[in-house]
Amino acid sequence: MKKAQFMEIEGRSFGYLALLGILGAIILVALGAWYVMEHHGHYVTGMNNAIVWGTPHIFAIFLIVAASGALNVASISSVFNKTAYKPLARLSGLLAIALLAGGLMILVLDLGRPDRLIVAMTYYNFKSIFAWNIILYNGFFVIVAVYLWMMMQQSMNKYSKPVGIAAFLWRLILTTGTGSIFGFLVARDAFDAAIMAPMFIIMSFSFGLAIFLLVLMASYRWTGRPLGDALFQRLKNLLGVFVAAVLYFVLAYHLTNLYATEHHGIEAFILRDGGIYTQLFWIGQIVLGSLLPLLLFYHPSWGKKRSLVGLGAVLVIIGGLIQLYVLIIGGQAYPLEIFPGKEVIESSFFDGQVAQYTPSMWEVLLGLGGMAVALIMVALAVKILRFLPTSLADEDVDPHHSA
Amino acid sequence: GDAPAPEIPKAKEKATEEYGCVAPVEYMRKNHMDELMHKRDDTLREGIRTDKFSLAECINCHVTPDEDGQFASFGEDEHFCSTCHNYASVSVDCFSCHRDTPEDTDYRHSFNVGNNPHHGKMALKGN
Amino acid sequence: MADFETPELREYPIIPKLKEGVMEHSKPYVAKVQFQEALGFPGELVDNWEEKALEKLDDLRGRYRSLQVYLDSCVKCGACTDKCHYYLGTSDPKNMPVARQDLLRQVYRRYRTFAGKYFPKLVGAKDLTKDVLDDWYSYFHQCSQCRRCSVYCPYGIDTAEISMAAREIMDTIGVGQKYCNEIIGKAATVGNNLGLPEPALADTLEGLEEEVEEDTGVPVKFPLDQKGAEILLVTPSADFFAEPHVDGLIGYAKVFHEAGVSWTMSSYASEAANFGMFIGSYENMRNLSLRIRKAAEDLGVKRIVFGECGHAWRVAYSFLNTLAGPFDFLDPNYPVPQHICEFTYDLIQKDKLKFDKSENDHMTLTFHDSCNVARASRMGDKAGGQFDIPRAIIRAACNNFVDMPADAIGEATFCCGGGGGLLTDDLMELRVKGAQPRMEAYKRVVEDNGVTNVAAICAICKSQFTKVLPYYGFGMTDIVSVHQLVSEALILSDAPSDDTESNAEAEA
Amino acid sequence: MTNKTYNADLSRRHFFSKAAAAAGMAIAPGVFLRQVHARPAEQAATSEKRWGILIDTDKCAKGCDSCVTACMNENGWGEINNSEEHSNPHQKAQWIRKVTVKDKQTGHVQSLPLMCQHCENPPCVDVCPTGASMKRADGIVLVDKHTCIGCRYCMMACPYKARSFIHEDLEDQKVVAPRGKGTVESCTMCVHRVDEDGTPACVEACNADNHNAMYFGDLKDPNSEISRQLKQYGGEQLRADLGLNTGVRYRGL
Amino acid sequence: MSALSVTYAILFYAATLLLVVGLVRKIALYARTPAPLKIPTTPAPVNRTGVVLRMVQEVVLFTSLFKATKWTWLFGWLFHLGLLLVLLRHLRYFQAETWFWVDLIQPFGKYASYAMVVGLLGLFARRIFVDRVRYISAPSDYLMLLLLIVIGISGMLMTFVTHTDIVMVKGFFLGLLRFSIEPLPSDLLLLTHLTLVALLMIIFPISKLLHAPGVFFSPSRNQVDNPREKRHLAPWAADLEK
Ligand code: HEM
Ligand code: HEM
Ligand code: SF4
Ligand code: SF4
Ligand code: SF4
Ligand code: SF4
Ligand code: SF4
Ligand code: SF4
């Protein structure tokens, strides 16, 4: 088999500069939005004392979850020894770091006191799953960076497998940790479920791979490097499996909830009475985000068209965002059950009412800014360092490939 | 000297006879931040409410009215803390929460701990 | 084969551990008195050489900003240490570019800086002793002035500049290098480095004309001293007879023929290579360049084109205008001078050349970027043209082309190991060891991609490859000229019909 | 059922209280009071006490919100200084609120004040990444706003929606209750008063209005009014199922 | 006017004089010395704008170093970035009215000192552990790093551990700028810091620290690659043509 040759992209074309320009502009606008939020305070956002985590958190958690999933391809190659994926491993690691950075940027900028980032880094409450996550995220950066180093420096290649395994385990823990942020919220009916952690893991596989697939398609198309069909189909099929698995977990989650009486309220809310949340759940998450992509992926002829598969991946991403929206915002909108067996008929603090939330422009811009940060990091990194193989044509990638 | 220097307003009264402030002035100039930080943890986390190094007390004593009886706020150069802090380009966020002027009540914030007139007055009333 | 070991080629480059002094013995022959004096240098080591050397150093510092800035600015960051092919191939620490510079810098510091005068130990300053001079002679003749180190140095410190200065200093105190100085002498008197006089040249070219006509059935001309021709071709003299150089020359002739332009070579300036650069001598470089100007004026040409030669192209591209300009008597529509690759590339762009690529199908090629072309000059009107244009030509003429690993091509290319006036048999050990990084990269593509041949556009590279390839177990004929590929694949439009051509082939 | 966990917990300190009571017996009642309750300013709060509030919903008057107003006045939030002028009602801080509930089966309507319950096992403290949410030795749950980064995770975790986030710049705060943009806050059980041997403002106001619906005191002291009330008439925790062992108890729910 | 203030005032006047005179002389030398030949190294820009861009990249990002060795780049860049922020933060001692951005970077500058010192320690470690770099290092190379490390650590100790009277320090330096000698705190850390800073200023123009101005004068980096289009002739070379 030919050794994969990695090469920086040329990065002088108008298209590339335009891409950087656009992403840069988005980031600037996002920083502007952040400034508005910071300068005035969070009152300019749609968030309030009931919906305390809003759109920024949707984006942030999406990116963080996807980050861990983006590492999947690398894990498959080093941990499970699938050589066909080896040439993709570097991009996979890079994307993982970039997505995590983008997500964390949003989280940090949304803090009430972002200027106290240093406090967050120096004061730890080790009982807090959140504090653990800070450690997990920082560790993820380090471990994936080391992993990339091992892969990229030839004399270090021999260590890439053990480090790859470490990275693999680490990111499983990391996603478990992210899922547990919600799983540990005993007071919230929507979140208090053990299935949360595994569900987040499988969501991470799906979101991460969808983004990976799109980035791969874009970078190979725009740089004019060949990307083999067999490899592409393989990735697509894998994504299909993940999407189906997420669907399965969503099903299991709601079924188990329906089984437990105390969760009937929230289930009825999401599945039937929640208005916008119900619509988002059925139309956005289930139809657009799961069924339609599955159809696109497995349809005998659509599944062969790259543009349609790409569309499917985009839908997976949109569906993922919607899923998190339903889960996080919907979960908070559903009123807290403070007085079981009683109905709140009057409260100066809106007890017993479905909480109102309308995303503000600033929050959405900040969220998009995080995505742009992730993408610009990738775009810059592939120009500066050797992440992308010069060819991913099937005959260059897979020794057993038969045309 | 000829060099520009901060014009630090005089304190309202003396905390201690020996050195005026709650600790030697030399020491205060260099170390008030550490003492304040330390004090804030003591107060908040332990409930220790002595007045030495209490921020409220600093303000009480140091932030004094001008001729018109007006108090400068931290945003203005004349505020006791700002005189130095602006001079030395040190920003603090304390006053985004804390009052930067004395409150017009002496509610348990006059200096001497032992003589606090309120001590004991509020023992569980109606219960 | 020799009394040294050929270095190993590994799967990927490994930076060697230091082995001090292993190349101290490597010294080229010293130039004889008459050659020294011919160039205006003292015949042998002068008495007060220490003083003279420092004087020359001061003179050069005053004349070259590069030298002054480079002597002051190095922070010993070490970025260049593993970049020199001679260090990689020999493990001798004094072949690390910064250590090579330090041979001169230590003296500069000792005599010309405050710290060096009063605290020599502290800053590593050293007295100028015979030992130091010996080191100079050894190690400044282990630098091929390839500028690879300069690419990586944060301040662009170019060891080539230091080597040139050091060689000039040595020349002025009477220790010159035989190979360079003899050649400069010949080029300055006869017109080319080999000392071929006009009749011999004419003879050779006539032979070539016959050979080509026999081969192709087309009367491709190789004109010499033809007044009024449009183009003056200046090419390295190796092109006149050595393999594979001469195949390149045939390629140029075919291209000119196909383009239908009139051209000529000059017996007065029958050499592209300018060894004046290797010894850092502005004056000698200028002398040789003026010959080209004179030839162009005498022959009344409109354009000057240079043949395939790396450092010749550097002098031509970067310095010719400075040394022998202005060339306002030439056609202003063309750059002065032009590289033969630029010329061919233009024709390809305009679709004026037709190729039968299959003629080169027996080869899978890779391209060796010659260091002086890659890092010290350019082709075309865009930055990076020196990389793209030759590759575009190869691709136009061949079906199978693969690049060597990215760390060994382009601006990062490794010198062939024979540049900078070191292409002499007395430095064989150095040349073989210095070729190791290039050979390692070549081996990579030979093994991974089935590459069979390497093309180059430099006379020194070609000669050097012919010599060192066998040391590493490759075929001596693996090296080809770029215009040799052009020559093979070019379809001459006035060629006789297929039948006659194949007849001619059969006869040959 | 709820009281069981509560009492089990109290038993830890039972010994001390008994000893203190025994010691107090010999001395005049007035002095006794001061000794038990007064803590010198330089002494840290101890776990020998656990401060709590008992709310008698039967006594809590409909239409009354004196406790809420008192809290505002004491701590400087709400409409008394209109500093949160930009925030919408959903965004404004609310340390204590009046809630009226109706029993779904009986239709019985009750009203009660709701504030931070000062849980013994506070989820807000567990989740806080920096440790800014914290529980003092004497059971008062506070936000150390000096290290609060405004992540709002504690708000997600609190089952009672007891916490508020400050959505804008504030001015003219009370000396005793510094508050500012970007941090989270909640009822402090008027810790500044408690430390000075005082009673929370809300309790004081309720009593001042002669509703007497609130009792404040040391849950670990069996002789305190609140303990005696609880012992005699009982009291419930909100969402007792969560096992948080709240410091605020309700009676009559 | 204590003896201490006077001593340090003299020290700083002398150091400043040596620094300025030394640098001006060197820079004038570089500027005056002609570069007779075009020797820009690939990737050579073909116009002035390109050169400016290249220089900015080199100075801000250390692009060549990045190509060369990633570790040295990492530590070197960390150090220089930290140094830059720290120095900008130090402007507050020299301006009666600080620029608003000097106020803005104060908090970052504080932590930049970590970047600076970590970078320096990394560079130091490399000098010790990489055999090639050890070979080319003279004692001064180690000392230079140590000097900066000690300056950095003494500064950090003042910032994070035992404070000094900043207001008085500022008064002293504002005084120097107005040729008046004001009192200076007599903390050992501050005095160490200041002594070493003065030493740094003194050796700057006579050491490898000349790389800072040097990089701007390096012909292989600052020349335009247009020798065919434009004839480039040094004065002394022009004389040869006469
Ligand atoms: C235009 C401004 C400057 C540029 C572009 C620059 C660039 C560099 C670069 C590229 C290196 C080599 C990499 C390394 O070893 O870190 C270096 C080294 C160094 N620089 Fe600078 N520098 C600048 C200013 C300064 C200044 C103002 C100082 C001192 C106060 C300084 C102190 C050093 C030192 C001590 C080293 C050597 C590090 C070692 O020994 O390994 N630099 N500089
Ligand atoms: C005359 C010039 C200088 C003066 C008056 C000065 C003074 C000071 C003072 C008073 C501090 C303590 C700051 C605090 O407590 O917040 C400090 C910190 C520091 N200084 Fe300097 N210094 C000077 C030059 C330098 C130079 C040239 C360097 C670096 C090469 C340097 C590096 C540092 C560092 C790293 C810190 C700690 C971080 C910080 O507070 O910014 N100083 N300096
Ligand atoms: S110019 Fe080339 S040969 Fe000379 S020191 Fe630099 S890398 Fe080595
Ligand atoms: S890269 Fe440049 S500065 Fe660094 S050691 Fe080499 S010559 Fe000196
Ligand atoms: S003051 Fe007393 S009666 Fe009035 S609302 Fe509050 S608790 Fe009820
Ligand atoms: S009521 Fe809420 S805020 Fe108060 S302690 Fe319990 S969990 Fe924390
Ligand atoms: S908002 Fe503040 S108190 Fe609440 S969890 Fe975050 S840091 Fe802790
Ligand atoms: S205890 Fe104090 S802070 Fe808490 S609700 Fe009552 S008055 Fe407000």
Side-chain angles (χ1 to χ4, degrees), chain A residues 17 37 42 70 114 125 188 224 226 257 273 317 325 370 401:
Chain A
L17 295 177
M37 278 166 65
H42 274 63
N125 166 22
R188 305 255 176 191
N257 263 359
D273 312 325
I317 292 172
Y325 193 93
H401 169 75

Side-chain angles (χ1 to χ4, degrees), chain D residues 60-61 64-67 98 113 206 211 213-214:
Chain D
C60 177
C64 169
D65 64 356
S66 301
C67 49
K98 248 328 255 310
C206 192
H211 296 300
M214 297 169 108

Side-chain angles (χ1 to χ4, degrees), chain C residues 113-180:
Chain C
T113 67
F114 176 86
K117 276 184 200 152
Y118 301 103
F119 312 98
K121 284 259 160 43
L122 189 68
V123 295
K126 274 213 189 124
D127 289 341
L128 179 52
T129 59
K130 192 72 184 27
D131 283 346
V132 169
L133 182 60
D134 283 346
D135 263 359
W136 283 9
Y137 196 73
S138 287
Y139 290 104
F140 286 121
H141 289 116
Q142 298 186 38
C143 169
S144 59
Q145 307 176 340
C146 74
R147 314 187 87 207
R148 190 166 196 266
C149 44
S150 173
V151 168
Y152 296 99
C153 173
Y155 322 109
I157 295 179
D158 183 0
T159 317
E161 292 289 307
I162 310 265
S163 291
M164 290 173 190
R167 290 189 194 174
E168 186 163 18
I169 293 173
M170 288 190 284
D171 271 329
T172 35
I173 59 173
V175 269
Q177 180 215 18
K178 172 167 179 270
Y179 174 69
C180 285

Side-chain angles (χ1 to χ4, degrees), chain A residues 21 31 38 62 68 98 123 159-160 170 182 195 297 309 327 347 370 379:
Chain A
L31 288 178
E38 258 330 287
F62 177 82
S68 130
Y123 288 72
Y159 305 113
S160 71
W170 191 272
F182 299 97
I195 199 173
F297 293 160
V309 172
L327 185 75
S347 159

Side-chain angles (χ1 to χ4, degrees), chain C residues 72 77 147 150 155-156 321 374, chain E residues 30 39 42 126 218 220 231:
Chain C
D72 279 339
C77 72
R147 314 187 87 207
S150 173
Y155 322 109
N321 198 4
Chain E
Y30 295 160
I39 57 167
T42 303
R126 167 203 56 145
S218 170
S220 55
R231 186 155 188 241

Side-chain angles (χ1 to χ4, degrees), chain D residues 124 127-130 132-133 143 147-155 163 184:
Chain D
C124 57
V127 300
C128 176
T130 64
S133 280
V143 179
T147 48
C148 169
I149 54 176
C151 69
R152 302 157 350 251
Y153 195 21
C154 52
M155 299 175 73
R163 292 204 158 175
V184 160

Side-chain angles (χ1 to χ4, degrees), chain C residues 21 93 124 131 171 174 178 187 238 243 254 284 309 317 366 393 443 502:
Chain C
D131 283 346
D171 271 329
K178 172 167 179 270
E243 284 287 351
K254 285 188 184 169
N284 278 299
C309 182
Y317 171 85
T366 190
I393 295 175
K443 183 176 178 212
S502 51

Side-chain angles (χ1 to χ4, degrees), chain B residues 31-32 41 47 73 80 94 102-103 117 119:
Chain B
N31 298 314
H32 60 279
D41 291 345
S73 74
F80 169 75
C94 315
E103 208 170 34
H119 259 265

